[in-house]
């Protein structure tokens, strides 16, 4: 399992409501992508409120790259004025207090419940 961190800058002057409306337009695309495990939409706070991003959980870097192809990168540039920055991380342990679960992920992405 991997985490993909995508960051970009929102256009100057965009309010939280404008950022939210822009994000809502992407819901059908991301809910239709069966490889996507989870996506978190981010907006900076205070002096950083133009900072935007997404945290995506994918089964592999290949799945992430397939979803974030050149056409997608171009669409981000068209909306924000610049290409996004993308970084990948190995998701090896997840604590989910909301659901009372701890999950360990093997290098191949297999999930194992952890009892503490």
């Amino acid at each position: 399992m991997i985490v993909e961190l995508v960051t970009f800058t929102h256009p100057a002057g965009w309010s939280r409501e404008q950022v939210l409306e822009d994000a809502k337009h992407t819901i059908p695309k991301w809910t239709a992508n069966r490889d996507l495990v989870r996506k978190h939409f981010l907006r900076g706070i205070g002096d950083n409120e133009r900072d935007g991003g997404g945290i995506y959980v994918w089964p592999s870097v290949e799945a992430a790259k397939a979803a974030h192809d050149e056409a997608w990168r171009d669409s981000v540039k068209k909306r924000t004025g610049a290409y996004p920055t993308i970084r990948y991380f190995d998701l090896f342990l997840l604590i989910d207090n909301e659901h009372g679960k701890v999950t360990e992920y093997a290098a191949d992405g297999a999930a194992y419940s952890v009892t503490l």
Side-chain angles (χ1 to χ4, degrees):
M1 203 63 63
I2 66 110
V3 169
E4 177 187 42
L5 174 60
V6 175
T7 56
F8 54 89
T9 302
H10 293 295
W14 273 30
S15 67
R16 185 181 191 278
E17 291 73 25
Q18 286 171 298
V19 172
L20 177 60
E21 280 305 309
D22 185 59
K24 284 180 178 180
H25 293 289
T26 70
I27 291 171
K29 171 189 171 139
W30 295 120
T31 56
N33 187 318
R34 293 289 137 221
D35 285 330
L36 180 65
V37 176
R38 184 172 290 113
K39 178 180 180 351
H40 300 265
F41 292 82
L42 310 173
R43 180 174 180 255
I45 297 172
D47 291 342
N48 299 317
E49 60 184 34
R50 283 194 63 203
D51 294 343
I55 297 174
Y56 300 77
V57 178
W58 299 99
S60 67
V61 171
E62 294 76 23
K65 286 182 176 182
H68 290 144
D69 59 11
E70 279 306 309
W72 175 84
R73 290 174 45 79
D74 289 341
S75 74
V76 171
K77 183 176 183 189
K78 182 178 179 183
R79 288 190 346 263
T80 68
Y83 287 110
T85 300
I86 301 174
R87 296 173 60 198
Y88 303 102
F89 300 87
D90 177 13
L91 175 57
F92 59 90
L93 189 65
L94 173 67
I95 297 171
D96 183 349
N97 286 334
E98 182 178 12
H99 296 102
K101 291 174 46 178
V102 177
T103 305
E104 178 181 343
Y105 294 97
D108 66 1
Y112 302 94
S113 292
V114 175
T115 304
L116 301 177

